Each structure stands twice: as C-alpha cells, then as structure tokens.
Amino acid sequence: MANSSMSQNSLPIVETFHSMQGEGAWMGANAFFMRLAGCDVGCPWCDTKMSWNAQKHPQVPIADLVAQASSAKPAIVVITGGEPLMHDLTALTGQLKEQGLRVHLETSGAYPYSGSFDWVTFSPKRFKLPHPSIYSQVSELKVVIKEPLDLAWAEQNAKMLDAQVLKYLQAEWSTNISKELVMQYVLRHPAWRVSMQTHKLLGVR
Ligand code: SF4
C-alpha cells in the first residue's frame, strides 16, 4: 500500500477545509487542511476513522488540490489524514511550493517519508511502528497519552530526535485519567509541553 503510484496525479481525499491550526507550535495559524484518505495504523481512540478506507473517498487531481489551497491564501497548508505518508507526496508538495505556499505535514511516520515540507508534526503510534526515515525530518513530536505505557513510548521516540525538536504530550480526549497523567508528567519533566486541541474548545473543525 505504501507510496502508491496512483498518487502522482491524484490523491484520495476525505475533505479539504480552511480553518485554523488547533494544535502544536503553529496553534492559531490560518491553515488550509487537506485530509488524505487511507490509514492502517488502527488507533482505538482515532477520531477520523472515516478516513481509514481510501476506496471510500474520491481521487482528486493534485492540480485541483493546489488550486483550492492557492485561492484560500492561507499562512500554512496542512497535509493530514488518515496517514498521508501511505502516498507519495512528492508531486503534491512540489506543486504547492511552486505556488509559494508553506507546507506542513501531520503523520504517524508509519510509512517512508516523501515530499518536501516546511514543518513536520510527528505523532508516533505503538500500534504500527514508525519508519526510520521520519526521525531526521521532525519539527515537533506530539504523543497521545492514554496510559502510563504511552509516556515510556513518548520518551523512547524523543531519544531518536534532535534536542531542539518541540515535545508535546496530548491527553487522549475521553478520559480524565489521561489528563492527570499528562499534567503530572509535564510538571516533573520540563522538556515536555501540554498539547491542547484548541479547535475543539472553540467549536471549529
Ligand atoms: S494514525 Fe491517525 S488516522 Fe490513523 S488510526 Fe491513528 S489517529 Fe487515526
């Protein structure tokens, strides 16, 4: 499934929308999102399960996606999913950059890195291990925390990254236990920051 050759001219798309980046270092930025279809990582708490089966979503020409992003005139274009690296992102990111757009990636890193990005948010999952090619590309690390085991997973991944990479812990949204785990950990480990999904607080997508 990785790096499908079909992706050169078109990509399976769940949705595109113009909003704000709700998370991480670029929180609050004017952002045009492209949610690519396809993911086999299988996180039990996934909030975008409708994206998993790429066959259920239309193939959209890359030229159309680039035209949509250009006309929105955003500060950043965010390629998210699903797991975007299931597809070869070289053509999409190359054409977005030709338009002078700043391009960000949100990925679990479960497939080989492709494309050219200005910012990479790496959210590794224990359910499908990251491909080694992601570690040299990361701008910020964001790990979802549901149980103590996830904190060890966060530290294991942080050790693979440059020291200046920003490190966030995000509580799995449905449980108070996870919020307490994140708060207590950040208070004892100042290299980490708490990540919030502020778009959900604001009631925007
Ligand atoms: S990697 Fe992302 S899209 Fe895939 S299952 Fe996990 S949370 Fe959902």
Side-chain angles (χ1 to χ4, degrees), residues 12-14 23-24 27 29 39 59 82 91 96 105 118 123 135 139 144-145 154 157 160 163 165 175 190 205:
I13 297 293
V14 178
E23 306 174 33
M27 184 182 75
C39 186
Q59 288 278 335
L96 287 168
L105 174 66
D118 299 292
S123 189
Y135 288 99
S139 313
V144 175
I145 304 298
N157 278 277
M160 308 276 287
V165 169
T175 69
R205 63 176 180 167

Side-chain angles (χ1 to χ4, degrees), residues 39-43 45-49 51-52 81-83 108 125:
C39 186
D40 61 358
V41 175
C43 307
W45 34 256
C46 178
D47 59 2
T48 53
K49 286 182 176 161
S51 71
W52 287 6
E83 174 40 68
S108 72
K125 306 296 183 334

Side-chain angles (χ1 to χ4, degrees), residues 16-18 21 26 29-35 65-66 68-70 72-80 92-93 96-97 99-106 116-119:
T16 59
F17 57 97
H18 192 187
Q21 173 56 285
W26 283 79
N30 174 330
F32 187 83
F33 288 83
M34 296 181 184
R35 187 181 305 288
L65 295 170
V66 173
Q68 286 179 34
S70 291
K73 297 185 171 45
I76 57 176
V77 178
V78 181
I79 313 297
T80 188
L92 175 64
T93 56
L96 287 168
K97 283 175 162 292
Q99 298 299 313
L101 292 164
R102 187 182 166 91
V103 191
H104 291 199
L105 174 66
E106 296 181 339
S116 171
F117 289 94
D118 299 292
W119 188 265

Side-chain angles (χ1 to χ4, degrees), residues 142-161:
K142 184 186 72 185
V143 184
V144 175
I145 304 298
K146 182 172 186 182
E147 53 188 319
L149 206 55
D150 297 320
L151 294 165
W153 172 243
E155 290 290 2
Q156 186 183 326
N157 278 277
K159 282 196 185 81
M160 308 276 287
L161 300 168

